[in-house]
């Protein structure tokens, strides 16, 4: 099975469209077309039911950490119970993401993304120590062209974009933030809670903006723009003021402590008269520098406000879901992906004129997607093969089981390692048997 660095396992077609692509391929016998549609329909219903159980597990374990919860718990979870629930939640969450063909974003990749400059140049900082747990997955790593303002002109820039990003953050408790002298009411998040975000089309260098604890400050460029002009304006006046520094000190002493305080200073009337322009210049310098500093600081604040507005607008229009609603969206995505993978495997085994090994089947599906539809994918053959093997049932015809001794899986292997599947009629019967026995209650 070939592996590709520039491909992903995600199949960029809706399940219903993929079924039509298989039908339009012309390899199914006329009598099998509707049977294939029926098989896909009952398969989708089966996975909808199966993944609903996964959703219930995630929801139950997320409840103590949900910052948006509006229901009450009849029993408060102990710290040990919370730790166990957190572990179960994260494990189920990661499994769900992988079933939806998402890829884990490593801490190294995250740190590298933090180091890339943003389109708007402000210094950003995210303290990762604020979190007990960070889980980040993505799907779709591509390049897009955007327009940015650069020195009074607009230029086009190529940007690395993650088409889907899922981020789970578990904040540390209040005692941690109290140790940092930060009060809970000053935070824009709740300590000890989990926040889950689901976004689309996020540039890699903007990943830090997804974190609620982001801090923004001046870059070195901002500081230079703030300080260099002030120094430049101060130098000519300073050259004029410094030689008269002793006289300035004497006059300040006279104003503050009286005439006796300047007995040790040799100051005559002429010197005093010559000093007045120096004092006026010094005062003018202070006023000018103060006004300049205020103007520069206001410019910085204006830039910061504009920057924060851009972040807010960007994330608002790119947000797909937050917190508990993320799980429902991912359940739908996982259901779609698993069904698409299985129906591609089953279709190609059903229509192949020769037996296929898993490797041959993987290559066949990838080549079919590329040649027929111009779509390059790195098909994950192992997942759907395991799933087909796991669906087991008995074939019942006219109320009689054809083999009462054992259940039949939807996929087996012969002695040479070739994949084998039952006919469309038998496959539908197996899944129907699974449905009929989904709930068995003692009478």
């Amino acid at each position: 099975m070939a592996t590709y660095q520039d491909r992903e396992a995600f199949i960029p077609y809706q399940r219903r469209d993929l079924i039509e692509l298989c039908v339009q391929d012309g390899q199914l016998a006329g009598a099998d077309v509707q049977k294939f549609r029926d098989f896909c329909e009952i398969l989708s219903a089966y996975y909808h039911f199966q993944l609903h159980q996964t959703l219930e597990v995630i929801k139950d374990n997320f409840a103590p950490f949900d910052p948006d919860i509006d229901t009450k718990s009849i029993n408060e979870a102990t710290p040990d119970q919370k730790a166990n629930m957190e572990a179960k939640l994260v494990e189920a969450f990661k499994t769900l993401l992988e079933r939806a063909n998402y890829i884990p974003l490593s801490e190294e990749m995250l740190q590298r993304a933090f180091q890339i400059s943003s389109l708007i140049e402000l210094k950003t900082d995210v303290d990762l120590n604020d979190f007990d747990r960070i889980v980040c997955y993505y799907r779709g790593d591509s390049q897009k062209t955007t327009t940015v303002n650069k020195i009074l002109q607009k230029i086009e820039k190529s940007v690395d974009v993650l088409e889907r990003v899922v981020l789970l953050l578990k904040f540390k408790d209040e005692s941690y933030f109290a140790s940092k002298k930060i009060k809970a009411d000053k935070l824009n998040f709740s300590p000890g809670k989990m926040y889950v975000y689901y976004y689309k089309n996020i540039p890699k260098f903007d990943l830090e903006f997804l974190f609620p604890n982001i801090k923004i400050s001046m870059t070195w460029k901002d500081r230079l723009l703030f300080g260099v002009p002030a120094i430049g304006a101060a130098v000519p006046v300073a050259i004029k003021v410094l030689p008269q520094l002793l006289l300035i000190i004497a006059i300040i002493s006279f104003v503050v402590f009286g005439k006796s305080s300047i007995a040790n200073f040799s100051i005559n009337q002429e010197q005093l008269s010559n000093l007045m322009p120096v004092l006026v210049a010094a005062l003018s310098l202070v006023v000018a520098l103060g006004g300049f500093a205020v103007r520069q600081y206001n410019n910085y604040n204006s830039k910061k406000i504009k920057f924060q507005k851009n972040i807010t607008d960007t994330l608002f229009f790119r947000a797909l879901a937050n917190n508990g609603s993320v799980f429902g969206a991912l359940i739908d995505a996982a259901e779609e992906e698993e069904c698409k993978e299985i129906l591609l495997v089953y279709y190609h085994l059903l229509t192949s004129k020769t037996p296929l090994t898993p490797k041959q089947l993987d290559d066949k599906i990838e080549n079919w997607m590329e040649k027929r539809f111009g779509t390059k994918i790195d098909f994950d053959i192992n997942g759907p093969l395991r799933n087909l093997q796991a669906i087991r049932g008995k074939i019942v015809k006219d109320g009689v089981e054809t083999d009462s001794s054992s259940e039949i899986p939807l996929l087996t292997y012969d002695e040479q390692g070739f994949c084998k599947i039952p006919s469309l009629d038998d496959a539908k019967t197996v899944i129907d048997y699974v449905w009929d026995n989904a709930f068995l209650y003692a009478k």
Side-chain angles (χ1 to χ4, degrees):
M1 291 171 280
T3 57
Y4 306 91
Q5 296 298 323
D6 59 340
R7 300 187 186 186
E8 294 183 13
F10 173 62
I11 303 168
Y13 292 97
Q14 292 186 353
R15 172 172 42 87
R16 292 190 179 279
D17 289 340
L18 194 61
I19 294 171
E20 293 306 311
L21 292 175
C22 291
V23 170
Q24 294 170 13
D25 193 36
Q27 299 300 311
L28 289 170
D32 288 339
V33 170
Q34 188 56 46
K35 292 179 182 179
F36 180 73
R37 293 185 191 276
D38 293 341
F39 168 77
C40 294
E41 182 178 359
I42 195 171
L43 178 74
S44 300
Y46 168 76
Y47 268 96
H48 182 75
F49 166 74
Q50 186 193 66
L51 283 163
H52 176 74
Q53 295 175 311
T54 301
L55 178 60
E56 291 302 307
V57 171
I58 290 176
K59 287 166 57 178
D60 288 345
N61 288 287
F62 182 61
F65 310 102
D66 187 357
D68 301 327
I69 195 165
D70 58 356
T71 56
K72 297 179 180 179
S73 176
I74 59 174
N75 294 309
E76 189 69 24
T78 65
D80 287 343
Q81 288 174 328
K82 280 189 175 182
N84 186 46
M85 294 172 78
E86 179 183 340
K88 287 182 179 179
L89 166 64
V90 171
E91 181 183 0
F93 186 59
K94 288 181 177 180
T95 301
L96 177 62
L97 285 162
E98 289 164 6
R99 292 175 74 171
N101 284 328
Y102 278 76
I103 303 167
L105 188 74
S106 66
E107 185 175 345
E108 181 184 354
M109 293 173 66
L110 191 62
Q111 291 287 2
R112 193 183 311 128
F114 284 2
Q115 294 168 5
I116 302 174
S117 299
S118 171
L119 292 177
I120 302 176
E121 295 180 359
L122 277 176
K123 184 180 178 182
T124 59
D125 179 62
V126 175
D127 189 353
L128 298 181
N129 294 319
D130 289 351
F131 306 103
D132 275 334
R133 192 183 294 271
I134 300 174
V135 177
C136 188
Y137 278 69
Y138 72 95
R139 192 174 72 187
D141 187 349
S142 61
Q143 280 198 338
K144 296 188 178 181
T145 302
T146 186
T147 302
V148 298
N149 294 321
K150 198 76 171 180
I151 314 178
L152 302 179
Q153 64 177 340
K154 292 185 176 181
I155 63 172
E156 289 188 345
K157 184 175 181 179
S158 183
V159 178
D160 291 329
V161 172
L162 302 180
E163 296 174 11
R164 292 290 185 272
V165 177
V166 180
L167 179 65
L168 180 147
L169 302 172
K170 166 66 165 44
F171 279 96
K172 290 182 178 178
D173 58 21
E174 277 191 42
S175 61
Y176 165 80
F177 293 98
S179 67
K180 295 177 65 176
K181 311 299 182 185
I182 303 175
K183 294 182 180 179
D185 58 359
K186 299 297 183 182
L187 301 171
N188 59 351
F189 52 84
S190 299
K193 297 295 184 180
M194 277 189 186
Y195 289 79
V196 192
Y197 304 100
Y198 189 21
Y199 287 102
K200 64 178 181 179
N201 297 331
I202 298 296
K204 284 183 180 179
F205 50 74
D206 283 349
L207 282 173
E208 64 265 35
F209 303 135
L210 306 184
F211 288 75
N213 64 335
I214 185 173
K215 294 180 181 178
I216 300 172
S217 59
M218 286 186 181
T219 62
W220 281 108
K221 180 180 177 181
D222 289 317
R223 294 175 184 178
L224 289 174
L225 290 174
F226 187 86
V228 170
I231 294 172
V235 168
V237 179
I239 291 173
K240 188 175 182 180
V241 170
L242 286 175
Q244 307 294 337
L245 185 59
L246 184 61
L247 296 178
I248 294 173
I249 294 173
I251 290 178
I252 293 173
S253 178
F254 171 76
V255 172
V256 176
F257 301 106
K259 185 175 181 180
S260 61
S261 65
I262 60 172
N264 296 326
F265 295 95
S266 299
I267 301 175
N268 55 41
Q269 186 65 34
E270 184 180 355
Q271 287 176 309
L272 184 61
S273 299
N274 293 335
L275 184 62
M276 294 310 295
V278 177
L279 289 175
V280 172
L283 181 61
S284 300
L285 172 64
V286 171
V287 173
L289 290 180
F292 178 80
V294 170
R295 185 168 63 254
Q296 288 294 95
Y297 185 71
N298 286 338
N299 288 340
Y300 164 71
N301 275 336
S302 176
K303 181 180 179 181
K304 183 177 177 179
I305 290 170
K306 180 182 177 181
F307 182 65
Q308 290 173 326
K309 181 181 182 300
N310 287 341
I311 294 172
T312 302
D313 291 346
T314 297
L315 296 186
F316 178 81
F317 289 108
R318 296 181 185 181
L320 296 175
N322 288 320
N323 297 330
S325 59
V326 175
F327 304 128
L330 291 177
I331 285 289
D332 288 341
E335 178 185 328
E336 278 280 298
E337 288 304 294
E338 297 217 328
C339 287
K340 288 187 291 186
E341 290 172 350
I342 288 178
L343 71 89
L344 279 176
V345 166
Y346 190 86
Y347 169 78
H348 283 282
L349 288 175
L350 186 68
T351 57
S352 178
K353 295 179 171 43
T354 59
L356 297 172
T357 64
K359 180 184 183 307
Q360 292 169 336
L361 179 58
D362 182 270
D363 293 339
K364 183 179 179 66
I365 292 171
E366 290 174 350
N367 291 333
W368 183 77
M369 293 292 295
E370 183 174 357
K371 290 179 180 178
R372 296 284 296 177
F373 313 108
T375 301
K376 297 180 179 181
I377 62 172
D378 184 9
F379 192 74
D380 178 16
I381 191 66
N382 296 316
L385 292 181
R386 284 195 303 268
N387 290 335
L388 278 170
Q389 281 184 288
I391 301 175
R392 294 170 173 266
K394 295 181 179 181
I395 298 176
V396 180
K397 294 182 179 179
D398 300 324
V400 179
E401 294 182 7
T402 58
D403 185 356
S404 59
S405 62
S406 62
E407 293 182 342
I408 300 171
L410 288 186
L411 177 75
T412 56
Y413 299 93
D414 64 16
E415 294 178 355
Q416 288 75 38
F418 292 112
C419 302
K420 295 178 62 178
I421 56 171
S423 66
L424 280 168
D425 287 326
D426 288 347
K428 289 192 299 178
T429 303
V430 167
I431 300 180
D432 186 56
Y433 177 87
V434 174
W435 266 113
D436 291 342
N437 292 273
F439 296 99
L440 296 176
Y441 298 105
K443 295 181 180 180

